[in-house]
Amino acid sequence: MVGCGKMGGAMLRRWLDEVPARFTAVNRTPGVIPDGCGHAGSPDALAGRSFDAIIIAVKPQQIEDVVPAYAPFLAANGCYISIAAGFSVASLKRAFGDKPMVRIMPNLPALIGRGVNGLYADPACTADHRDLADKLARAAGSAIWLDSEEEIDRITAVAGSGSGYVFEIARSYVAAAERLGFTPDTARTLVLETMAGAVEMALRSEESLEELRNSVMSRRGTTEAGINALRRDGLLDRLMTETTEAAYNRAVELR
């Protein structure tokens, strides 16, 4: 793994526990490398070695400057696996040559093994390459294979950026609870436990989200009053559409 920032480090910790493979991470600061993982501070430290996969975990703007130095260490039948957002397979191939490429678009809950990972493999990838990428993704959560790379941008808009939307909605919800008179700590607990319980219930249920919502409401009751305010003039649907479209458009710009 080239780079070991917050996302890369989080996924690497999951891989060390779940994936039967040996890992070496390249990072200038050895203190951020998880226990049980090999460490290298530079390409020189890898002299004479080869790897079945090189995982690209640096920021997109650093890829072309940093990662090509590690190309000589990719085994002849190896592949590149990129978790960097907004850097296309075509761009990767321009930087590293026509090697098999897999892109994984993770999201932040990978830190706790609850990530949603979108995966795309270019046609040069073998079944073994796809199997390795699948194991890595599932160790950090779920794996959703995509038929086209364009779908990566859509995954980015919905799941990759999605935890940020949820945190912002929760922040606003907590602030509203505080305005009703709860202390910040109590408001946070009330909101986060309510959200966590509702999401867990939805995951376990075969009912639609509309059916679950309706099961909470009684005619002219408190929930109906709140839902009517939330959905006034289609505001919520419009905001969520604008939110995901803005993120998608930015992902396309970053290709």
Side-chain angles (χ1 to χ4, degrees), residues 41 87 141 159 162:
F87 208 88

Side-chain angles (χ1 to χ4, degrees), residues 9-208:
M11 297 189 77
L12 184 54
R13 288 180 185 87
R14 302 296 307 179
W15 298 340
L16 289 167
D17 290 338
E18 304 288 339
V19 180
R22 290 180 295 168
F23 294 89
T24 298
V26 180
N27 197 280
R28 293 178 182 175
T29 309
V32 303
I33 307 299
D35 292 340
C37 180
H39 170 255
S42 69
D44 294 340
L46 300 175
R49 301 179 64 184
S50 67
F51 299 86
D52 296 321
I54 293 179
I55 299 164
I56 302 167
V58 297
K59 291 180 172 58
Q61 60 268 29
Q62 296 177 311
I63 290 176
E64 292 181 299
D65 293 331
V66 174
V67 183
Y70 297 90
F73 308 116
L74 183 67
N77 60 347
C79 68
Y80 288 96
I81 299 175
S82 173
I83 65 169
F87 208 88
S88 68
V89 165
S91 296
L92 291 168
K93 286 181 179 287
R94 280 196 298 271
F96 313 127
D98 192 19
K99 297 291 185 180
M101 305 281 179
V102 181
R103 288 186 63 191
I104 301 179
M105 183 64 240
N107 66 358
L108 192 59
L111 279 113
I112 59 170
R114 290 296 302 271
V116 178
N117 303 279
L119 296 91
Y120 171 74
D122 88 286
C125 290
T126 66
D128 286 343
H129 298 148
R130 290 175 63 94
D131 182 61
L132 172 60
D134 192 77
K135 284 184 171 67
L136 295 176
R138 292 186 188 280
S142 58
I144 299 174
W145 280 95
L146 308 172
D147 295 326
S148 70
E149 189 176 13
E150 188 273 336
E151 291 177 88
I152 287 277
D153 295 328
R154 286 185 264 160
I155 285 279
T156 300
V158 175
S161 299
S163 52
Y165 313 154
V166 174
F167 294 144
E168 176 61 12
I169 291 167
R171 182 205 60 77
S172 180
Y173 193 177
V174 168
E178 290 179 28
R179 287 192 289 271
L180 282 179
F182 291 105
T183 66
D185 285 348
T186 299
R188 178 185 169 94
T189 299
L190 285 170
V191 167
L192 295 184
E193 291 293 350
T194 296
M195 293 178 74
V199 169
E200 186 65 28
M201 185 175 178
L203 288 170
R204 295 184 184 187
S205 176
E206 295 182 358
E207 294 182 275
S208 70

